[in-house]
Amino acid sequence: MKRIYLDHAATTPLDERVLNAMQPFFWQKFGNASSVHSFGTEAREAVEKSRETVAKAINARPEEIYFTSGGTESDNIAILEIAYANRERGKHIVTSKIEHHAVEETCKFLEKDGFMASWLGVDKEGLVDLGEVGNAVTGKTILVSVMHANNEIGTIEPIVEIGKICREKGAFFHTDAVQSVGKEKIDVNKMNIDLLSSSAHKFYGPKGAGFLFVKEGTEIQPLMHGGGHERGLRSGTENVPGIVGLAAALEIAEKEREKENARERILAKKLLKGALGIENSWLNGPAIGPKRLSNNVNLGFDFVEGESMVLMLSDKGIAASTGSACSSKSLEPSHVLRAIGLPHVKCHGSLRFSLGRGTTAKDIDYVLGALPRIVEKLRKISPLRKGVDISEFEEDIEHVHGHEH
Ligand SMILES: Cc1ncc(COP(=O)(O)O)c(C=O)c1O
């Protein structure tokens, strides 16, 4: 069966050029980067060259790049280390209601440990309000963590301005750029960023490799203790093939970024236009354009369950996702869709397509051929179909679930 992968926000395939760059470091150049012999120095040189490549891509200095195992680890290190190193100055952190769980859960953990978190709301496009950021940051605020681009609805946050507010008010600014690195131009200096998280498997690099940028002079306190790798911040033998792969993938992504974004944007528009031809459908998040990642199309369909759509699309060979719209266990609707003001029922009818380098116009045609029939089928068997008063139903659900923060 034909298989079409439209879930690049979840992960991307490894680029063959990246695989070629990594391969020698699995077996021929297998040394431990901490060893002093030639096997070790060979590995060390590769790690340091990779660090330079990464630093250049985001206009940082090599000493400001720390290799990690990915986005979740980078987010945890950034938030926890800033919090614990600066707790004497204040125990207040500011974050948004649409963060990835890696940030959200880390902030909730800190709340349980005596810190106070302010959760910024967003507008219907998913954008945080700069006035609200300014009001939330006080003399006691040690950290503001707002993501660069949202993984579910693709919203690109005004991080330059958020960073500026943080600078003025003396709070550190961390941004989770897991979805944007390799897709959006990043300049940590111009963007006033103190800490930035990234993960290689989102830009055609290997899984289990990521980096954290920490601006020089930022007070941090290591969480991992051991051999003092990564200048004491993240002990543990370096994942040399992963690091080499991350750097190679980032270099390629940076070179191809603009052209690829333009190509994906055309395909995204085509998908959107076709899908909106289905009645009672809508786009979640900002219009396709500068406020949205070029590859993200998050659609909603009334009277349909997103999870059922994902399964039926999968039967047709199409890989899409509900984002983290609802975990099959809890059936909780996406906190991101709730934050943009979508009622519970509509959250459940949402579906994310995320395009990538391999996506073609033919793929989009194929999806647009399959989608209307799937929606129609599901609507036929849906208890939410036309004629049922959704607003009444919604109240019941609201009553059961209550509002999220
Ligand atoms: C915005 C965002 N942050 C963090 C992560 C976690 O990254 P990783 O899978 O590398 O741990 C993801 C992954 O989906 C993400 O989209």
Side-chain angles (χ1 to χ4, degrees):
M1 187 179 47
K2 190 178 166 77
R3 288 210 307 167
I4 295 175
Y5 186 75
L6 293 176
D7 201 12
H8 292 81
T11 195
T12 55
L14 191 78
D15 188 299
E16 202 179 335
R17 293 165 287 181
V18 175
L19 177 63
N20 290 337
M22 291 170 72
Q23 239 158 8
F25 294 93
F26 283 110
W27 60 307
Q28 291 152 323
K29 303 182 180 184
F30 60 86
N32 184 323
S34 299
S35 303
V36 293
H37 46 63
S38 67
F39 293 83
T41 50
E42 190 169 65
R44 169 61 51 204
E45 274 166 26
V47 169
E48 296 316 320
K49 193 164 159 267
S50 301
R51 205 185 303 282
E52 281 167 25
T53 305
V54 172
K56 195 168 154 226
I58 62 166
N59 194 25
R61 294 194 300 181
E63 314 84 79
E64 296 173 319
I65 305 297
Y66 298 87
F67 291 114
T68 67
S69 67
T72 303
E73 187 187 334
S74 295
D75 285 340
N76 271 265
I77 293 181
I79 296 167
L80 297 176
E81 293 192 3
I82 287 286
Y84 290 122
N86 295 276
R87 64 193 312 170
E88 302 306 325
R89 224 163 35 85
K91 292 181 100 181
H92 182 228
I93 49 180
V94 174
T95 187
S96 87
K97 288 184 183 173
I98 62 160
E99 297 300 311
H100 186 271
H101 295 303
V103 168
E104 186 193 6
E105 292 301 322
T106 308
C107 292
K108 283 185 181 166
F109 169 83
L110 283 174
E111 280 183 315
K112 283 191 207 124
D113 200 29
F115 287 81
M116 209 189 92
S118 297
W119 299 85
L120 302 166
V122 292
D123 66 13
K124 64 183 193 324
E125 295 187 327
L127 290 159
V128 301
D129 179 76
L130 292 172
E132 208 187 318
V133 178
N135 290 338
V137 182
T138 69
K140 293 267 177 236
T141 310
I142 46 175
L143 175 70
V144 175
S145 181
V146 175
M147 71 201 316
H148 188 194
N150 183 266
N151 46 303
E152 290 187 39
I153 56 173
T155 310
I156 298 170
E157 299 295 337
I159 60 168
V160 180
E161 292 80 6
I162 298 172
K164 196 159 167 264
I165 295 171
C166 295
R167 285 276 147 87
E168 283 162 9
K169 299 213 172 188
F172 289 115
F173 177 43
H174 165 249
T175 189
D176 174 338
V178 169
Q179 290 290 338
S180 60
V181 168
K183 291 201 200 84
E184 292 296 311
K185 175 81 197 128
I186 291 177
D187 181 324
V188 287
N189 287 314
K190 281 201 187 128
M191 292 170 138
N192 308 309
I193 298 166
D194 296 308
L195 303 105
L196 175 142
S197 305
S198 174
S199 183
H201 74 101
K202 307 288 188 183
F203 50 85
Y204 306 87
K207 292 173 182 58
F211 73 85
L212 174 67
F213 156 79
V214 183
K215 191 179 169 63
E216 204 175 26
T218 305
E219 291 116 71
I220 42 175
Q221 184 177 297
L223 284 174
M224 302 270 273
H225 304 282
H229 305 77
E230 294 299 291
R231 295 177 308 292
L233 187 95
R234 201 265 187 182
S235 282
T237 300
E238 290 90 344
N239 168 11
V240 183
I243 290 169
V244 168
L246 180 152
L250 186 53
E251 206 168 21
I252 294 168
E254 280 301 306
K255 266 196 206 122
E256 300 181 353
R257 181 164 49 80
E258 282 180 24
K259 213 168 144 199
E260 182 55 21
N261 281 355
R263 199 188 71 84
E264 285 173 10
R265 199 160 272 149
I266 291 169
L267 296 176
K269 278 187 182 157
K270 179 179 164 75
L271 175 59
L272 178 64
K273 191 166 170 236
L276 291 184
I278 300 170
E279 62 174 13
N280 297 313
S281 61
W282 67 91
L283 175 72
N284 290 314
I288 292 177
K291 282 195 245 166
R292 184 177 195 117
L293 287 175
S294 57
N295 70 333
N296 175 295
V297 182
N298 190 314
L299 297 162
F301 300 92
D302 273 326
F303 325 118
V304 171
E305 271 266 320
E307 290 295 317
S308 312
M309 269 192 285
V310 168
L311 294 175
M312 287 181 75
L313 284 165
S314 182
D315 282 345
K316 297 263 174 236
I318 302 163
S321 156
T322 49
S324 46
C326 83
S327 96
S328 48
K329 271 188 207 149
S330 69
L331 283 176
E332 274 297 312
S334 148
H335 66 293
V336 176
L337 297 179
R338 291 293 291 140
I340 62 171
L342 219 59
H344 264 87
V345 177
K346 283 187 184 274
C347 293
H348 283 302
S350 294
L351 178 69
R352 179 188 73 188
F353 292 102
S354 43
L355 285 49
R357 285 184 197 157
T359 311
T360 64
K362 264 195 176 159
D363 293 343
I364 304 298
D365 285 333
Y366 183 80
V367 174
L368 291 175
L371 198 58
R373 253 169 287 158
I374 290 174
V375 172
E376 197 190 325
K377 242 188 202 173
L378 287 170
R379 280 182 178 166
K380 272 197 185 133
I381 57 163
S382 168
L384 305 175
R385 70 187 176 277
K386 273 185 213 163
V388 176
D389 186 347
I390 287 199
S391 58
E392 268 177 42
F393 186 71
E394 223 162 70
E395 268 173 31
D396 287 345
I397 298 173
E398 295 281 346
H399 183 70
V400 175
H401 290 285
H403 286 276
E404 275 118 62
H405 53 249

Short mmCIF file of all heavy atoms in Angstrom, two decimals, residues 9-11 69-75 99-103 147 149-152 176-179 197-202 208-210 352, ligand 1:
data_model
loop_
_atom_site.label_atom_id
_atom_site.label_comp_id
_atom_site.label_asym_id
_atom_site.label_seq_id
_atom_site.Cartn_x
_atom_site.Cartn_y
_atom_site.Cartn_z
N ALA A 9 6.08 16.72 12.45
CA ALA A 9 6.24 17.41 13.74
C ALA A 9 6.53 16.39 14.84
O ALA A 9 7.10 16.73 15.88
CB ALA A 9 4.99 18.21 14.07
N ALA A 10 6.13 15.14 14.62
CA ALA A 10 6.42 14.09 15.60
C ALA A 10 7.87 13.65 15.47
O ALA A 10 8.61 13.58 16.45
CB ALA A 10 5.49 12.90 15.40
N THR A 11 8.27 13.35 14.25
CA THR A 11 9.68 13.07 13.98
C THR A 11 9.89 13.07 12.47
O THR A 11 8.94 12.94 11.69
CB THR A 11 10.13 11.74 14.61
OG1 THR A 11 11.57 11.70 14.63
CG2 THR A 11 9.61 10.52 13.85
N SER A 69 20.47 14.72 25.12
CA SER A 69 19.81 13.60 24.42
C SER A 69 18.58 14.05 23.64
O SER A 69 17.92 13.23 23.02
CB SER A 69 19.40 12.54 25.43
OG SER A 69 18.38 13.04 26.28
N GLY A 70 18.23 15.33 23.67
CA GLY A 70 17.07 15.78 22.89
C GLY A 70 16.31 16.91 23.56
O GLY A 70 16.81 17.54 24.51
N GLY A 71 15.11 17.14 23.07
CA GLY A 71 14.31 18.28 23.51
C GLY A 71 13.90 18.19 24.97
O GLY A 71 14.01 19.16 25.72
N THR A 72 13.44 17.03 25.38
CA THR A 72 12.94 16.88 26.75
C THR A 72 14.07 17.15 27.75
O THR A 72 13.90 17.87 28.73
CB THR A 72 12.37 15.46 26.96
OG1 THR A 72 11.33 15.27 25.98
CG2 THR A 72 11.80 15.28 28.34
N GLU A 73 15.23 16.57 27.48
CA GLU A 73 16.35 16.78 28.41
C GLU A 73 16.78 18.26 28.41
O GLU A 73 17.03 18.83 29.47
CB GLU A 73 17.53 15.88 28.04
CG GLU A 73 18.62 15.99 29.10
CD GLU A 73 19.90 15.25 28.75
OE1 GLU A 73 19.88 14.29 27.99
OE2 GLU A 73 20.95 15.69 29.27
N SER A 74 16.86 18.86 27.24
CA SER A 74 17.27 20.27 27.18
C SER A 74 16.30 21.15 27.95
O SER A 74 16.73 22.04 28.70
CB SER A 74 17.35 20.73 25.72
OG SER A 74 18.37 20.04 25.05
N ASP A 75 15.01 20.90 27.78
CA ASP A 75 14.01 21.69 28.51
C ASP A 75 14.16 21.51 30.02
O ASP A 75 14.12 22.47 30.79
CB ASP A 75 12.59 21.27 28.09
CG ASP A 75 12.21 21.81 26.71
OD1 ASP A 75 12.84 22.77 26.24
OD2 ASP A 75 11.26 21.26 26.10
N GLU A 99 2.71 25.27 26.14
CA GLU A 99 4.03 24.63 26.05
C GLU A 99 3.90 23.12 25.83
O GLU A 99 2.90 22.50 26.21
CB GLU A 99 4.81 24.88 27.34
CG GLU A 99 5.12 26.34 27.61
CD GLU A 99 5.97 27.00 26.53
OE1 GLU A 99 6.99 26.42 26.14
OE2 GLU A 99 5.58 28.09 26.07
N HIS A 100 4.95 22.55 25.28
CA HIS A 100 5.05 21.09 25.18
C HIS A 100 5.12 20.53 26.61
O HIS A 100 5.57 21.21 27.53
CB HIS A 100 6.33 20.73 24.42
CG HIS A 100 6.47 19.27 24.14
ND1 HIS A 100 7.09 18.41 25.01
CD2 HIS A 100 6.07 18.52 23.10
CE1 HIS A 100 7.07 17.19 24.51
NE2 HIS A 100 6.46 17.22 23.35
N HIS A 101 4.71 19.27 26.76
CA HIS A 101 4.70 18.67 28.10
C HIS A 101 6.08 18.72 28.76
O HIS A 101 6.18 18.75 29.99
CB HIS A 101 4.22 17.22 28.03
CG HIS A 101 2.78 17.13 27.60
ND1 HIS A 101 1.77 17.76 28.29
CD2 HIS A 101 2.20 16.50 26.55
CE1 HIS A 101 0.62 17.53 27.68
NE2 HIS A 101 0.85 16.78 26.61
N ALA A 102 7.14 18.72 27.97
CA ALA A 102 8.50 18.74 28.55
C ALA A 102 8.72 20.02 29.36
O ALA A 102 9.44 20.00 30.37
CB ALA A 102 9.54 18.63 27.43
N VAL A 103 8.11 21.10 28.95
CA VAL A 103 8.20 22.36 29.71
C VAL A 103 7.09 22.41 30.75
O VAL A 103 7.32 22.71 31.93
CB VAL A 103 8.12 23.58 28.76
CG1 VAL A 103 7.93 24.88 29.54
CG2 VAL A 103 9.38 23.66 27.90
N MET A 147 7.76 28.97 24.32
CA MET A 147 8.26 28.23 23.15
C MET A 147 8.37 29.12 21.91
O MET A 147 7.64 30.10 21.78
CB MET A 147 7.39 27.01 22.86
CG MET A 147 6.01 27.33 22.32
SD MET A 147 4.81 25.98 22.54
CE MET A 147 5.68 24.53 22.08
N ALA A 149 8.07 27.91 18.55
CA ALA A 149 6.96 27.52 17.66
C ALA A 149 6.21 26.37 18.27
O ALA A 149 6.81 25.44 18.82
CB ALA A 149 7.51 27.12 16.29
N ASN A 150 4.90 26.44 18.18
CA ASN A 150 4.08 25.41 18.81
C ASN A 150 3.99 24.14 17.96
O ASN A 150 3.81 24.20 16.75
CB ASN A 150 2.67 25.96 19.09
CG ASN A 150 1.81 24.95 19.81
OD1 ASN A 150 1.06 24.21 19.19
ND2 ASN A 150 1.96 24.89 21.11
N ASN A 151 4.10 23.01 18.63
CA ASN A 151 4.12 21.72 17.93
C ASN A 151 2.76 21.28 17.40
O ASN A 151 2.69 20.47 16.49
CB ASN A 151 4.70 20.63 18.84
CG ASN A 151 4.12 20.66 20.23
OD1 ASN A 151 4.19 21.68 20.92
ND2 ASN A 151 3.53 19.57 20.65
N GLU A 152 1.68 21.81 17.94
CA GLU A 152 0.37 21.36 17.49
C GLU A 152 -0.22 22.26 16.41
O GLU A 152 -0.74 21.78 15.41
CB GLU A 152 -0.60 21.28 18.67
CG GLU A 152 -0.26 20.16 19.62
CD GLU A 152 -1.31 19.98 20.70
OE1 GLU A 152 -2.51 20.10 20.40
OE2 GLU A 152 -0.92 19.73 21.84
N ASP A 176 11.81 26.98 24.05
CA ASP A 176 11.81 25.63 23.49
C ASP A 176 11.68 25.81 21.98
O ASP A 176 10.62 26.16 21.47
CB ASP A 176 10.62 24.86 24.09
CG ASP A 176 10.44 23.49 23.46
OD1 ASP A 176 10.92 23.27 22.33
OD2 ASP A 176 9.81 22.63 24.09
N ALA A 177 12.80 25.60 21.29
CA ALA A 177 12.82 25.81 19.83
C ALA A 177 12.88 24.46 19.09
O ALA A 177 13.39 24.38 17.98
CB ALA A 177 14.00 26.70 19.45
N VAL A 178 12.35 23.43 19.75
CA VAL A 178 12.42 22.08 19.17
C VAL A 178 11.74 22.02 17.80
O VAL A 178 12.23 21.37 16.89
CB VAL A 178 11.81 21.05 20.16
CG1 VAL A 178 11.61 19.70 19.50
CG2 VAL A 178 12.70 20.91 21.39
N GLN A 179 10.65 22.75 17.64
CA GLN A 179 9.94 22.70 16.35
C GLN A 179 10.48 23.71 15.34
O GLN A 179 10.17 23.61 14.16
CB GLN A 179 8.44 22.95 16.56
CG GLN A 179 7.71 21.81 17.26
CD GLN A 179 7.58 20.55 16.40
OE1 GLN A 179 7.65 20.59 15.18
NE2 GLN A 179 7.41 19.41 17.06
N SER A 197 16.34 25.31 23.61
CA SER A 197 16.35 23.84 23.50
C SER A 197 16.09 23.40 22.08
O SER A 197 15.26 24.00 21.38
CB SER A 197 15.23 23.24 24.36
OG SER A 197 15.31 23.65 25.68
N SER A 198 16.77 22.32 21.68
CA SER A 198 16.59 21.81 20.32
C SER A 198 16.77 20.29 20.30
O SER A 198 17.41 19.72 21.19
CB SER A 198 17.61 22.48 19.41
OG SER A 198 17.58 21.92 18.13
N SER A 199 16.23 19.66 19.26
CA SER A 199 16.28 18.20 19.16
C SER A 199 16.50 17.79 17.70
O SER A 199 15.75 18.20 16.82
CB SER A 199 14.96 17.65 19.69
OG SER A 199 14.97 16.25 19.67
N ALA A 200 17.52 16.95 17.47
CA ALA A 200 17.92 16.64 16.09
C ALA A 200 16.87 15.89 15.27
O ALA A 200 16.79 16.07 14.05
CB ALA A 200 19.22 15.84 16.11
N HIS A 201 16.07 15.05 15.94
CA HIS A 201 15.15 14.22 15.14
C HIS A 201 13.99 15.01 14.53
O HIS A 201 13.20 14.47 13.77
CB HIS A 201 14.64 13.01 15.95
CG HIS A 201 13.62 13.32 17.01
ND1 HIS A 201 12.28 13.09 16.81
CD2 HIS A 201 13.74 13.81 18.26
CE1 HIS A 201 11.61 13.42 17.91
NE2 HIS A 201 12.47 13.86 18.79
N LYS A 202 13.92 16.30 14.86
CA LYS A 202 12.88 17.13 14.24
C LYS A 202 13.39 17.79 12.97
O LYS A 202 12.63 18.37 12.23
CB LYS A 202 12.41 18.22 15.21
CG LYS A 202 11.96 17.72 16.57
CD LYS A 202 10.63 17.00 16.52
CE LYS A 202 10.15 16.71 17.95
NZ LYS A 202 8.92 15.96 17.99
N GLY A 208 17.51 10.93 19.89
CA GLY A 208 18.41 10.80 21.04
C GLY A 208 19.58 11.77 21.00
O GLY A 208 20.59 11.55 21.68
N ALA A 209 19.48 12.82 20.21
CA ALA A 209 20.54 13.84 20.17
C ALA A 209 19.89 15.21 20.15
O ALA A 209 18.95 15.45 19.38
CB ALA A 209 21.42 13.66 18.94
N GLY A 210 20.38 16.09 20.98
CA GLY A 210 19.83 17.45 21.02
C GLY A 210 20.89 18.40 21.53
O GLY A 210 22.03 17.99 21.80
N ARG A 352 -3.87 17.05 12.98
CA ARG A 352 -2.67 17.77 12.52
C ARG A 352 -1.97 17.03 11.39
O ARG A 352 -1.64 15.86 11.51
CB ARG A 352 -1.68 17.92 13.68
CG ARG A 352 -0.39 18.63 13.28
CD ARG A 352 0.65 18.59 14.38
NE ARG A 352 1.23 17.26 14.53
CZ ARG A 352 2.05 16.90 15.52
NH1 ARG A 352 2.34 17.78 16.47
NH2 ARG A 352 2.54 15.69 15.59
C1 LIG B 1 7.95 21.69 21.19
C2 LIG B 1 8.59 20.42 21.65
N1 LIG B 1 9.36 20.43 22.74
C3 LIG B 1 9.96 19.32 23.19
C4 LIG B 1 9.81 18.11 22.54
C5 LIG B 1 10.51 16.90 23.07
O1 LIG B 1 11.61 16.60 22.27
P1 LIG B 1 12.30 15.15 22.33
O2 LIG B 1 11.39 14.22 21.62
O3 LIG B 1 13.59 15.31 21.58
O4 LIG B 1 12.52 14.81 23.74
C6 LIG B 1 9.00 18.05 21.40
C7 LIG B 1 8.78 16.76 20.72
O5 LIG B 1 7.71 16.51 20.20
C8 LIG B 1 8.38 19.24 20.93
O6 LIG B 1 7.62 19.24 19.84
#
